Amino acid sequence: MVRQVFKKLSPKPDLVKFKFQDSIFAELDIEEAVNSLNKDGYFGGLQLPIEILNELLVFGKSALTYGNGNLKNGFIYADKKKAEKMVGQYFSFGSFFNLDEDLPLVRKLGSDPKLMIIAAKYFESEPVHCSTRMWWNFATEHDNFDVVNTSSFYHYDKDDFSCLRVFFYLTDVDSQSGPHVCILGSHREKNLAQILSLKERSDQEMSDIYGEKRFLTVMGIAGSGFIEDPFCFHKGTRPKDKDRLILTLCFAASRYKVLNSRANRRFLKKLVIS
């Protein structure tokens, strides 16, 4: 209800300024994407050009990632085991910081005209690219996997009155490498208790409410992507034997909660494990 009121009160977007012919996603059908998002809260079928995928992969494997998000646990991907041994803990994930400064390509992706038009049509208001994230999910034994900080339970996110996230798998993702799971249509169907509570939801609870036929496990080759309304119930899954590298772009309908993907460099101590 609040979202509908927000849409009605927001100024309508000027779509003419977005030159869709300049998009890197030549095959992306804007109307199909918007219709799918309205119905299911999900749209698949994105694919990064190979040169962009390669640049992102090189960055993901050569830049510092921070084990379990700790700014003291910086290491290069190939040195993960050394880093874990040095700090005496297993890493479930590795976060990247300062993407806007260290990886200018993400600004190009965040301003892609087709993505902006899709967001504008979906929000029915002017879209804002508000954040970019990239991280590794590492294959670990079950007892060592951080379920909470990897969001490996069903939940939804209230980033804004209207919000979209664009996900890109930068490595091949199959059933063994932590595929994303979304419950189709759940962005439109929540009772008041679900809306007011952000508690962790079990697989069984979600199955009882929505039925397993609406569960979508998203797998794909490196470079494949999808768009999701984070108001859908969704979760990450534990990588069992393959690490997963992923990039997300967040678009919102207002600027009041614009996030910054940069870490404060005064507090970002880069520790290279050698």
Side-chain angles (χ1 to χ4, degrees), residues 1-262:
M1 179 65 180
V2 174
R3 297 175 119 198
Q4 296 304 318
V5 172
F6 182 82
K7 284 184 177 182
K8 289 181 180 180
L9 295 178
S10 299
K12 299 306 177 186
D14 177 14
L15 299 181
V16 176
K17 67 181 180 181
F18 301 119
K19 299 179 180 180
F20 69 89
Q21 63 271 18
D22 295 335
S23 173
I24 66 171
F25 304 103
E27 304 302 318
L28 176 56
D29 186 315
I30 292 172
E31 294 305 322
E32 181 184 2
V34 174
N35 290 338
S36 180
L37 287 165
N38 281 320
K39 177 177 178 289
D40 295 325
Y42 171 90
F43 173 76
L46 299 181
Q47 184 67 43
L48 288 171
I50 188 64
E51 63 274 11
I52 291 179
L53 170 62
N54 287 339
E55 184 175 342
L56 292 169
L57 267 175
V58 168
F59 180 87
K61 292 184 177 181
S62 61
L64 287 174
T65 187
Y66 294 85
N68 294 343
N70 189 326
L71 298 182
K72 294 181 179 180
N73 296 340
F75 62 93
I76 303 300
Y77 174 70
D79 294 331
K80 172 178 169 283
K81 290 185 178 179
K82 288 183 181 180
E84 289 177 327
K85 185 175 181 180
M86 179 174 288
V87 301
Q89 63 176 280
Y90 291 99
F91 299 143
S92 297
F93 66 97
S95 300
F96 294 90
F97 298 99
N98 301 305
L99 287 177
D100 292 342
E101 296 178 11
D102 297 341
L103 189 58
L105 176 61
V106 301
R107 293 197 293 273
K108 179 179 180 180
L109 289 172
S111 61
D112 184 87
K114 280 194 175 181
L115 295 182
M116 294 294 281
I117 292 172
I118 289 169
K121 284 178 169 285
Y122 186 66
F123 301 154
E124 297 179 17
S125 63
E126 197 73 16
V128 179
H129 170 223
C130 55
S131 70
T132 306
R133 293 181 59 214
M134 181 189 288
W135 70 96
W136 284 100
N137 284 108
F138 301 121
T140 60
E141 296 297 327
H142 186 271
D143 291 344
N144 299 320
F145 191 70
D146 188 337
V147 174
V148 174
N149 287 314
T150 55
S151 298
S152 298
F153 53 84
Y154 281 107
H155 65 287
Y156 71 93
D157 300 297
K158 296 190 294 186
D159 292 345
D160 200 346
F161 293 115
S162 292
C163 185
L164 287 176
R165 290 181 185 169
V166 183
F167 295 76
F168 293 105
Y169 288 154
L170 304 182
T171 51
D172 293 340
V173 174
D174 58 21
S175 61
Q176 303 302 302
S177 44
H180 182 88
V181 183
C182 173
I183 301 180
L184 300 177
S186 57
H187 65 316
R188 298 182 290 104
E189 301 175 25
K190 289 186 180 68
N191 58 39
L192 183 60
Q194 290 173 326
I195 293 173
L196 295 178
S197 173
L198 293 176
K199 75 172 188 176
E200 302 174 13
R201 308 281 178 173
S202 69
D203 290 30
Q204 187 61 56
E205 179 184 359
M206 294 291 94
S207 179
D208 291 344
I209 295 173
Y210 296 104
E212 292 186 5
K213 289 184 178 180
R214 290 170 64 177
F215 285 41
L216 177 66
T217 300
V218 185
M219 295 180 279
I221 61 172
S224 60
F226 57 95
I227 309 173
E228 182 181 271
D229 184 333
F231 204 61
C232 278
F233 278 111
H234 60 277
K235 71 172 183 176
T237 57
R238 179 176 67 89
K240 297 178 180 179
D241 59 18
K242 298 177 184 177
D243 298 337
R244 182 192 73 168
L245 180 63
I246 192 168
L247 175 78
T248 66
L249 310 171
C250 182
F251 296 89
S254 64
R255 294 184 177 275
Y256 84 96
K257 199 177 179 182
V258 171
L259 305 176
N260 196 324
S261 59
R262 303 170 185 171

